[in-house]
């Protein structure tokens, strides 16, 4: 139910998301742990509003945005009364008792906006503002001459499941709750209640009969009849059996009705509370009684940033959503889940024909030190020549193995340990200490230094020979050799090793046990006849290779392999410990080679992929106490910018839709 409510609130906010606001940053509560700024000025600087209107018309936006029976009188987003060329803000506030989700959008013409609202929707005055509520009053939309205020709230289950809160507000318990009692499962830890007060008439248990007791009495009055065992000597009375089934079904129906009665009772109480909290919070926002948000980056959003978001106090945000109670009831422990994250921020940025999503993750001082050392590792320059410009894609992961193993126990203790000392936190601590004692970080780091490169050179159709079996009428089988054609990826994985002795010993055992086949120093792993990928292992000049192209590995071994790495690929691998890249222009040719059918409606778009740039994701080293990341795609040249190309592409997709 709570997820549904949150989706509805997000949906209500989303209806206004194509429209943006005068700068309302001063009305964003400073206590918000998440804020999203939408830069309307930047969006319509790069895109024509008329083109957006055509897309929205074809997709039925103007017909259905206010409901199927309430089509808008306009087909122009500029005539909806909302300023589309300024900044809008979406925010969330998380407390122990309620999750708020709100938004601020500007009004350029109040009368035009009000004309869009469904005629049957009741508009009431709250503190002098015209206001619309959802049916349960947990979502409120108010507006004045300049701003639309949206705020919704969802009750936090962990809070309302506490015994003291149930008692305070008269929440009823389901019978199933009693199952936990024999196991002595305590409730969640006490958390200070939300400071917002709502006028509340105390619930008097004498004024209404407890639904839980009613369900228990109903259960006592019903005698559940079981069918006699199959081997009973007496003849079964079919009528009696049918009666017992009907009686049992009737009991189940009664139990369900009691269950729903209790749920409805509890939901009505929660809705009254949440509605009061939402009203109080929004009244403070409108009156300016809140501390304003102080982010400099949100106040000075750049012209090429379409959106920018910031999330602070991440631990406070996600700790309310982790299933700690479930873990406690099943495993008997409640982990702290302390990853050391302090904040995360990011933006969608237009840079010519490139659209990128850039993010910044900030750690606390201790965790920043750990990750800085873990990602401080030199990438083997011998890998660069394998970054071929014709490769379909590649992945790099460059870690300092010694630092990783050194800090892993401390990280695990913080994440899986508990906030308070008890036997479970002590067990986690024992395992962490044992790991530190038993694991020789320096020795392992010599075997596996931590620099990894996986190259996907392509995907080809290969004819695979395998053994099958045919059976006669007496189930006697005969071995038959068959062939099949399958798409097989051509991959090559490599990593550095200063001590390959352990691999040499494993190879020796594998040969003796006939699990490996020696191809003159290149070792094939024996796999089933139906397996399409046959992996090979090569150790050469301090590098361990694993791939499925024997010819390429033989060329690497005898020194005849010739290749030159792509400069752009090499720069990405040099600067970033984590890189994932897909060579988009290679996709159309690959689909053709593999005879993969493409729907005619998508054929043009697929063919144009050959004009795209690469899609890539990178993660930088830790600088200071933060790590940067980027996900980017380069669109074809020819349009004004990446956003213009993307909107044109969407418009082409909507051409076949009915207006």
């Amino acid at each position: 139910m709570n997820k549904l409510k949150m989706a509805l609130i997000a949906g209500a906010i989303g209806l206004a998301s194509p429209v943006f606001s005068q700068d309302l940053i001063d009305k964003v509560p400073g206590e918000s742990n998440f804020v999203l700024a939408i830069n309307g000025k930047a969006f319509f600087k790069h895109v024509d509003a008329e083109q957006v209107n055509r897309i929205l018309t074809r997709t039925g936006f103007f017909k259905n945005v206010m409901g199927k029976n309430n089509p808008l009188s306009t087909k122009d987003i500029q005539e909806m009364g909302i300023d589309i060329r300024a900044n809008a803000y979406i925010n969330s506030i998380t407390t122990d008792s309620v999750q708020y989700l709100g938004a601020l959008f500007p009004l350029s013409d109040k009368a035009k906006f009000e004309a869009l609202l469904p005629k049957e929707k009741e508009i009431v005055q709250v503190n002098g503002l015209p206001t619309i509520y959802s049916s349960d009053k947990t979502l409120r939309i108010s507006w004045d001459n300049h701003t639309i205020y949206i705020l919704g709230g969802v009750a936090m289950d962990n809070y309302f499941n506490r015994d003291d809160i149930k008692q305070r507000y008269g929440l009823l318990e389901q019978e199933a709750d009693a199952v936990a009692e024999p196991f002595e499962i305590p409730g969640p830890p006490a958390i200070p209640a939300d400071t917002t007060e709502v006028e509340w008439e105390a619930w008097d248990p004498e004024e209404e009969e407890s639904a839980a007791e009613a369900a228990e009495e109903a259960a006592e009055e019903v005698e559940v009849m079981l069918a006699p065992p199959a081997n009973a000597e007496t003849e079964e009375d079919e009528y009696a059996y049918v009666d017992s089934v009907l009686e049992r079904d009737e009991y189940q129906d009664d139990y369900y009705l009691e269950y729903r009665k209790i749920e409805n009772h509890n939901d009505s109480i929660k809705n009254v509370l949440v509605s009061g909290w939402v009203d109080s919070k929004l009244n403070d926002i409108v009156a300016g009684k809140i501390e304003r948000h102080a982010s400099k980056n949100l106040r000075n959003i750049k012209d090429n940033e379409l959106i920018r978001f910031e999330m602070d106090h991440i631990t406070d945000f996600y700790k309310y959503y982790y299933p700690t109670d479930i873990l406690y009831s099943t495993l008997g422990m409640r982990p702290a889940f302390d990853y050391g994250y302090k904040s995360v921020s990011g933006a969608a940025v237009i840079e010519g024909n490139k659209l990128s999503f850039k993010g910044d993750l900030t750690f606390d001082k201790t965790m920043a030190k750990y990750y800085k050392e873990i990602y401080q590792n030199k990438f083997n320059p011998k890998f660069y020549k394998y970054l071929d410009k014709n490769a379909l894609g590649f992945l790099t992961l460059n870690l300092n193995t010694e630092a990783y193993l050194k800090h892993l126990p401390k990280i695990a203790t913080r994440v899986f340990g508990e906030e308070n000392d008890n036997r479970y936190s002590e067990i986690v601590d024992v395992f962490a200490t044992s790991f530190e004692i038993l694991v020789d970080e320096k020795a392992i780091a010599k075997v596996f230094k931590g620099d990894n490169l996986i190259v996907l050179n392509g995907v080809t159709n290969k004819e695979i020979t395998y053994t099958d079996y045919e059976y006669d009428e007496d189930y006697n089988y005969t071995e038959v050799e068959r062939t099949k054609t399958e798409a097989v990826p051509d991959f090559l994985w490599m990593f550095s090793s200063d001590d390959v002795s352990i691999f040499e010993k494993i190879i020796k055992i594998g040969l003796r046990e006939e699990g490996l086949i020696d191809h003159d120093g290149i070792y094939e792993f024996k796999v089933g006849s139906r397996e399409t990928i046959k992996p090979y292992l090569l150790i050469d000049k301090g590098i361990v290779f694993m791939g499925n192209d024997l010819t390429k590995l033989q060329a690497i071994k005898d020194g005849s392999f010739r290749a030159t790495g792509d400069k752009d690929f090499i720069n990405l691998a040099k600067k970033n410990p984590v890189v994932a890249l897909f060579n988009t222009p290679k996709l159309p040719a690959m689909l053709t080679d593999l005879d993969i059918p493409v729907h005619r409606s998508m054929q043009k778009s697929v063919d144009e992929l050959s004009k795209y740039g690469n899609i890539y994701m990178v993660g930088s080293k830790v600088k200071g106490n933060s790590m940067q990341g980027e996900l980017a795609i380069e669109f074809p040249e020819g349009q004004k910018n990446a956003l213009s190309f993307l909107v044109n592409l969407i418009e082409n997709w909507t051409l076949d839709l009915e207006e």
Side-chain angles (χ1 to χ4, degrees), residues 46 324 347 359 446 486 532 627 647:
H46 298 97
T324 53
K446 288 183 178 180
E486 289 197 8
T532 57
M627 170 185 284
V647 173

Side-chain angles (χ1 to χ4, degrees), residues 483-652:
T483 59
K484 61 180 178 178
T485 301
E486 289 197 8
V488 178
D490 177 7
F491 75 93
L492 183 63
W493 172 30
M494 64 198 75
F495 60 87
S496 302
S497 177
D498 291 338
D499 183 359
V500 298
S501 59
I502 184 67
F503 300 110
E504 292 172 345
K505 292 177 181 179
I506 292 173
I507 290 170
K508 186 176 180 181
I509 295 173
L511 292 172
R512 186 178 67 244
E513 299 298 327
E514 299 183 348
L516 296 175
I517 301 173
D518 188 359
H519 294 275
D520 191 23
I522 300 173
Y523 304 95
E524 176 186 349
F525 289 84
K526 278 191 176 181
V527 294
S529 61
R530 289 179 175 271
E531 298 295 330
T532 57
I533 297 178
K534 292 184 178 180
Y536 299 89
L537 177 68
L538 168 66
I539 301 174
D540 184 69
K541 299 181 179 65
I543 301 176
V544 179
F545 296 90
M546 184 174 291
N548 62 335
D549 188 335
L550 178 59
T551 303
K552 183 175 292 184
L553 289 172
Q554 288 172 334
I556 293 172
K557 183 176 181 296
D558 62 29
S560 62
F561 180 79
R562 295 289 182 269
T564 302
D566 181 81
K567 290 183 179 180
D568 293 335
F569 294 177
I570 292 173
N571 285 335
L572 287 174
K574 276 184 177 180
K575 296 178 181 179
N576 304 283
V578 180
V579 181
L581 181 142
F582 182 73
N583 197 340
T584 314
K586 300 297 178 183
L587 184 59
M590 186 193 76
L591 296 177
T592 301
D593 293 342
L594 297 177
D595 295 324
I596 296 176
V598 177
H599 194 276
R600 62 183 180 182
S601 63
M602 296 296 295
Q603 187 64 57
K604 183 179 179 181
S605 298
V606 171
D607 291 341
E608 287 184 348
L609 289 175
S610 60
K611 302 176 184 178
Y612 280 55
N614 300 309
I615 299 174
Y616 64 86
M617 180 187 72
V618 299
S620 72
K621 295 180 180 180
V622 176
K623 297 178 181 179
N625 65 338
S626 66
M627 170 185 284
Q628 285 75 42
E630 179 183 6
L631 173 64
I633 178 172
E634 299 171 3
F635 292 107
E637 301 283 355
Q639 297 291 336
K640 294 186 296 184
N641 51 69
L643 182 61
S644 178
F645 178 88
L646 188 59
V647 173
N648 280 334
L649 184 64
I650 295 173
E651 184 177 17
N652 290 334

Side-chain angles (χ1 to χ4, degrees), residues 433-451:
T433 304
S434 301
F435 185 88
E436 290 182 280
I437 295 172
L438 297 175
V439 174
D440 187 339
E441 299 95 344
K442 293 185 180 295
I444 295 176
K446 288 183 178 180
V447 175
F448 187 81
K449 296 184 70 174
D451 52 350

Side-chain angles (χ1 to χ4, degrees), residues 158 318-328 333 335 337:
N158 286 345
Y318 64 64
K319 75 178 180 181
Y320 295 119
Y321 290 96
Y322 268 116
T324 53
D325 292 336
I326 295 176
L327 291 174
Y328 194 83
M333 61 184 301
F337 292 118

